[in-house]
Amino acid sequence: MEQKLIFLILHLFSILMSAYSIEGPMAYSASIYENSFIIHFQNNRSYLTRLILYQNETTPRSEMAPNYFNCSFTNNFWRHCTFYSDEPFSRLWGSLHSKVCARDDSNPVEDCSYNLSEIDKYSVITGNYLRFRGDPNLLRTTYGHGTYFVVKGNFSDPSFNCNNITVIVPPGSGNFEFTFDEVGDFNFPFSYESPKISSTVLDGLNQILTINGENFFTDKDLIQVSFDGIIQPNIIISVNHTQIQVNNFSRPDPGPMSVKIKVNEISTEMNYIHCLTAIITSISSVSNHLGGVVTIQGEKLSSTLNSSFTPSIIIGNKRCTFIKSTTNELKCQLDPNENGGRDLPVNIIFGGCNSTSPKNVSFTYNIPTLSSGSYSNGFVTLNGTNLGNNYESFIQIYGNETNGYINIDQFNVSSDEKSVTFKLPLLGCSLFNIHLTRSNITSNTISISASLFINVINKPNVSNGTLNIEIYYMDCPIGSSSEPSITVGNSSSNTKCSIPSLTFGYFETKCSTPYGTGINRQFIFKLNSETVRNEFSYAPPKVESSKFSKGQFNITFHGNNFGNSISLIQVYFNGNNVSSEILSLKDNQLTIKTLNSYDNGLINIIVDGNNMESLFNLTFPPVINGIINKDNKTIACGGIITVSGKNLLTNDDDFKVKVLANNKNTTIIIQDENILIVTSESNESPLFVSTFIGDNLGPNAILTYLEPKITVIPTIKNKKDGISIRIGGVSLSDTIYASLVLSSENISLSCNLQCSLSPNETFYDNIPILSSNETDITNSTDCLLCHSNSFVNETSGVLYLQFGSISYHYDVKIEEFLIPISPSPSNGYEGSNKSSKLSGGQFQVLQLVVLMLLVLSLVV
């Protein structure tokens, strides 16, 4: 006999009536049957006669058929009361305000004053034989304040099956209780189903672990996710009830990781194990005859938390004995294998979590067949048989917008050749056809559809900006209704974009952007029924030019994308924040106050977190400190003038630096930020030098030429066409008298000045000066090329040089003139040679005359 729900187990108590005292009925036990029940009383106690069931506090259920208890059967000390009713037992229902009637043998009067709530003590639910107290269509529950579970159907309907009810339970989580009566005296514990994990997916690049399953509910505050017992704080419910996303997940170690979920204190019945696998990027080779050490490189090849947690390595079907490993490199010893093999897989197993190296299979040549394909997160997965490998297979894609097939030769093939995964190239249309060719055999063609994807390709200007967007995987063909729109930030309105146009295999649209600044601005792109979230950054600030005010009190920068809010802009000069010196701001113009501490340097402007792509090099106008020729002297050859200052290099015509000597322009030979070296064509001394910055007169000075100094007296060359000498020195001039005095004659020399001044040798403080007995010192900046058409037949002489009032004489050597040997010497040559010689007395007179002239010139 099936168990039944005891509707009423009664305990009677004594009730005093007007003239009689009835002891309250007290049941000793009960017998429950399919269609009746029997209450057992002691023979000398009162007993029940019938039930009066109320539908509320005051109204009896008049529609019910009569019922009664037959208590005529007694046995020894017991009275057995059998309940009878013409109503089905499933219809016996009454509120807590229902009444019961009782009597005893000494009192023939029936007392119906007993409330059901006064004598009911407990109820039992078996699940098969249901009874209700209170509202039959509601179940009181502790889940939520004042919450009732609704019983599906209507109890008043005669066909309502009380023995098999369905309760509508709202979405929820955790433990709760429910009761079949109004007061909740007898609660029955219940709970929502425990959470279940079906799979986990790790996105290592974005540090996201996604947990898929059931019964996760919708309130993340009630959810607790733990990995190896460590609670994860950064979780979101990405899909209600079925998917949880754990953010900022980072674990460098491989191996198993326990995943546990608790939803409102109800935990997963079994911990789920997520495998963190090693990543193999390269494998070295060894001789199959000799074996050796195999080096495996990649990621997660060692445990950073437990150095004793070592993997087992299988190459092909051979074990490779572990030697040592770091995070990125693993070494193991592989024994010889005479059978060898090729394209063998490498498995690294950490605690039961297996990592398999990329593998190419080359020993199955059956026809490839595609059964299905799918697209997810930028990757396409093809399912089928005999799909080959990268060496012998390739994939071809054809879309509506392509002019031919696109070949895919980089993909991953499963070890059983039944699935292929590859990254889908960017296509214009969402629907595309695909087939695979292996060993010149092409599979059947299937169609796959990808979801909408966009790419922002520019940074719009702060004002009147245009956002250029590449569109991929859109519904084709394009219709007049294919007009996309964008909604920027929290704006309540959207902006229409241009109808997409096909460009190089993808579609492009242009969208106007609202006035704004900053980076990583979120927006929603909508095209037909699809929406995509993305972000863009406004164009960074750009300085195109700068302008100093008169007096250099202010600097105005001209450019773009400065914005119009001083609170959002920061200006840095040489790394120092000078934002407090901003005087005015427009989108294309910024003015700051000039401080005395400013010098040349880099300007960086940050607008709402948006940095300049290239800093602006700010150069201040030139400042001339002075003309720094030592002792106001300069070198005669070239007239070197040196000006010192700062910022002397400028392209601003208003601040150009120029130097005049005797009111004539000079020639620049060296110029940097701090030094300007020019030469003057004037050979007159003194030089009246003046400097200018633009049209403004700067420092001036009066320079005089330095005294000439001789540094190089080489041997005089003696050739058939005459004699010549190259004299080196400093501050030489072309106003010179030169002669060569020999023992027999005095030869006048013609000299030409050649300037070869090095810009870094403006002064010659460190250049040695030639003494009268020195003839070969190589330090020189200028040279005099002196020559005569005469030739001599002597090997030494005295060289006299006269520079204005300054004279020099030097003993010099002369190359020996070699007369070529001929059969008939020329007598005329000999005569001319003799006529050019001076006697010893004549030579002494000539020397005396020259010395007297030198003395007279010094006196003058």
Side-chain angles (χ1 to χ4, degrees), residues 61-359:
R61 292 187 59 196
S62 59
E63 80 282 3
M64 291 187 60
N67 67 80
Y68 65 94
F69 285 92
N70 183 353
C71 300
S72 59
F73 178 67
T74 61
N75 180 17
N76 296 328
F77 298 102
W78 302 105
R79 184 185 302 275
H80 309 285
C81 296
T82 303
F83 180 77
Y84 291 96
S85 175
D86 292 339
E87 291 283 349
F89 272 29
S90 63
R91 307 300 297 170
L92 292 176
W93 165 81
S95 71
L96 287 178
H97 303 286
S98 299
K99 306 290 186 180
V100 294
C101 299
R103 59 165 294 179
D104 60 15
D105 289 339
S106 61
N107 186 0
V109 178
E110 185 180 48
D111 187 352
C112 296
S113 62
Y114 299 110
N115 290 326
L116 181 63
S117 60
E118 296 177 354
I119 63 175
D120 181 28
K121 298 302 179 184
Y122 57 90
S123 301
V124 177
I125 299 176
T126 65
N128 296 319
Y129 192 64
L130 305 181
R131 292 290 181 266
F132 292 93
R133 295 185 299 135
D135 192 331
N137 293 314
L138 296 175
L139 289 183
R140 183 173 178 175
T141 176
T142 59
Y143 184 79
H145 182 69
T147 301
Y148 288 86
F149 289 168
V150 177
V151 178
K152 191 173 182 179
N154 187 359
F155 180 80
S156 301
D157 187 348
S159 64
F160 182 83
N161 184 3
C162 294
N163 294 328
N164 187 6
I165 66 172
T166 299
V167 178
I168 300 174
V169 179
S173 63
N175 299 294
F176 61 91
E177 295 179 338
F178 69 87
T179 182
F180 287 95
D181 58 31
E182 293 99 328
V183 296
D185 288 338
F186 308 106
N187 294 333
F188 300 94
F190 213 72
S191 70
Y192 284 90
E193 191 173 1
S194 62
K196 292 180 174 60
I197 301 174
S198 60
S199 64
T200 54
V201 179
L202 175 62
D203 182 354
L205 181 63
N206 296 309
Q207 296 184 323
I208 296 174
L209 181 66
T210 301
I211 305 173
N212 300 307
E214 303 176 56
N215 305 320
F216 296 161
F217 198 44
T218 60
D219 187 352
K220 82 179 189 69
D221 293 335
L222 298 176
I223 297 176
Q224 185 183 91
V225 178
S226 59
F227 296 158
D228 287 340
I230 300 175
I231 297 175
Q232 304 300 305
N234 300 314
I235 66 170
I236 63 172
I237 301 176
S238 48
V239 178
N240 282 345
H241 303 290
T242 62
Q243 190 178 84
I244 296 174
Q245 183 174 296
V246 181
N247 296 320
N248 300 329
F249 173 74
S250 177
R251 178 167 167 169
D253 284 12
M257 180 182 71
S258 172
V259 180
K260 184 178 180 180
I261 297 178
K262 182 186 290 186
V263 180
N264 199 6
E265 300 304 322
I266 298 180
S267 300
T268 47
E269 295 178 354
M270 296 181 61
N271 286 346
Y272 183 87
I273 299 300
H274 173 82
C275 277
L276 296 164
T277 57
I279 299 173
I280 303 172
T281 59
S282 67
I283 307 168
S284 66
S285 62
V286 296
S287 168
N288 68 300
H289 300 291
L290 301 175
V293 176
V294 177
T295 300
I296 302 173
Q297 294 182 335
E299 300 175 21
K300 296 184 178 181
L301 299 178
S302 176
S303 173
T304 61
L305 300 176
N306 183 3
S307 59
S308 63
F309 186 45
T310 58
S312 59
I313 305 101
I314 305 297
I315 298 179
N317 58 358
K318 299 293 184 180
R319 180 175 296 276
C320 192
T321 304
F322 174 81
I323 300 175
K324 64 178 182 178
S325 70
T326 63
T327 301
N328 299 317
E329 186 175 88
L330 183 148
K331 293 183 180 295
C332 62
Q333 178 68 42
L334 185 64
D335 293 335
N337 179 10
E338 292 301 326
N339 294 326
R342 54 175 295 177
D343 300 327
L344 299 174
V346 174
N347 296 321
I348 301 178
I349 305 167
F350 281 94
C353 290
N354 184 29
S355 306
T356 303
S357 63
K359 179 181 178 181

Side-chain angles (χ1 to χ4, degrees), residues 540-554:
K542 181 180 181 181
V543 178
E544 296 177 346
S545 63
S546 63
K547 185 74 174 179
F548 286 84
S549 66
K550 188 174 183 179
Q552 304 181 25
F553 298 112
N554 303 328

Side-chain angles (χ1 to χ4, degrees), residues 548 552 555 573 594-595 598-600 618-622 647 650:
F548 286 84
Q552 304 181 25
I555 312 171
F573 183 49
T594 305
L595 299 181
Y598 289 179
D599 201 351
N600 296 346
L618 177 63
T619 302
F620 277 76
N647 307 325
T650 179

Side-chain angles (χ1 to χ4, degrees), residues 459-460 537-542 560-562 605 607 610-613:
K459 297 178 179 180
S537 296
Y538 282 96
K542 181 180 181 181
N560 295 293
N561 304 312
F562 297 155
I605 298 176
V607 178
N610 204 347
N611 283 276
M612 295 175 62
E613 291 182 346

Side-chain angles (χ1 to χ4, degrees), residues 589-770:
Q589 183 174 301
L590 168 66
T591 301
I592 66 173
K593 180 181 178 182
T594 305
L595 299 181
N596 293 331
S597 60
Y598 289 179
D599 201 351
N600 296 346
L602 296 176
I603 291 291
N604 183 22
I605 298 176
I606 303 174
V607 178
D608 198 8
N610 204 347
N611 283 276
M612 295 175 62
E613 291 182 346
S614 58
L615 304 187
F616 181 77
N617 191 5
L618 177 63
T619 302
F620 277 76
V623 175
I624 297 178
N625 297 330
I627 300 168
I628 61 171
N629 286 47
K630 185 177 181 181
D631 299 327
N632 285 340
K633 300 290 185 179
T634 185
I635 298 174
C637 186
I640 296 299
I641 303 169
T642 303
V643 178
S644 72
K646 65 178 182 178
N647 307 325
L648 299 181
L649 287 175
T650 179
N651 294 321
D652 193 338
D653 292 335
D654 293 338
F655 300 102
K656 283 282 189 180
V657 177
K658 60 182 178 180
V659 180
L660 300 183
N662 292 342
N663 292 322
K664 295 181 180 180
N665 289 329
T666 58
T667 301
I668 297 174
I669 58 174
I670 285 293
Q671 184 176 15
D672 61 21
E673 292 289 347
N674 301 313
I675 291 292
L676 173 62
I677 301 176
V678 300
T679 62
S680 171
E681 296 179 356
S682 175
N683 293 322
E684 301 175 1
S685 182
L687 288 177
F688 296 93
V689 180
S690 55
T691 61
F692 292 84
I693 300 176
D695 295 330
N696 297 320
L697 181 62
N700 54 75
I702 298 177
L703 306 182
T704 58
Y705 286 117
L706 292 165
E707 293 183 358
K709 295 183 180 181
I710 304 299
T711 60
V712 177
I713 299 292
T715 300
I716 295 177
K717 296 183 180 298
N718 192 8
K719 302 294 183 181
K720 181 179 180 180
D721 55 353
I723 59 174
S724 64
I725 184 171
R726 185 181 295 272
I727 303 169
V730 179
S731 193
L732 306 182
S733 69
D734 55 1
T735 304
I736 184 173
Y737 169 77
S739 66
L740 176 63
V741 178
L742 304 172
S743 62
S744 59
E745 62 178 324
N746 182 16
I747 301 175
S748 296
L749 302 175
S750 298
C751 298
N752 294 321
L753 177 64
Q754 294 181 348
C755 299
S756 58
L757 180 68
S758 172
N760 292 326
E761 297 177 2
T762 305
F763 306 110
Y764 52 80
D765 292 345
N766 297 322
I767 297 178
I769 302 171
L770 187 67

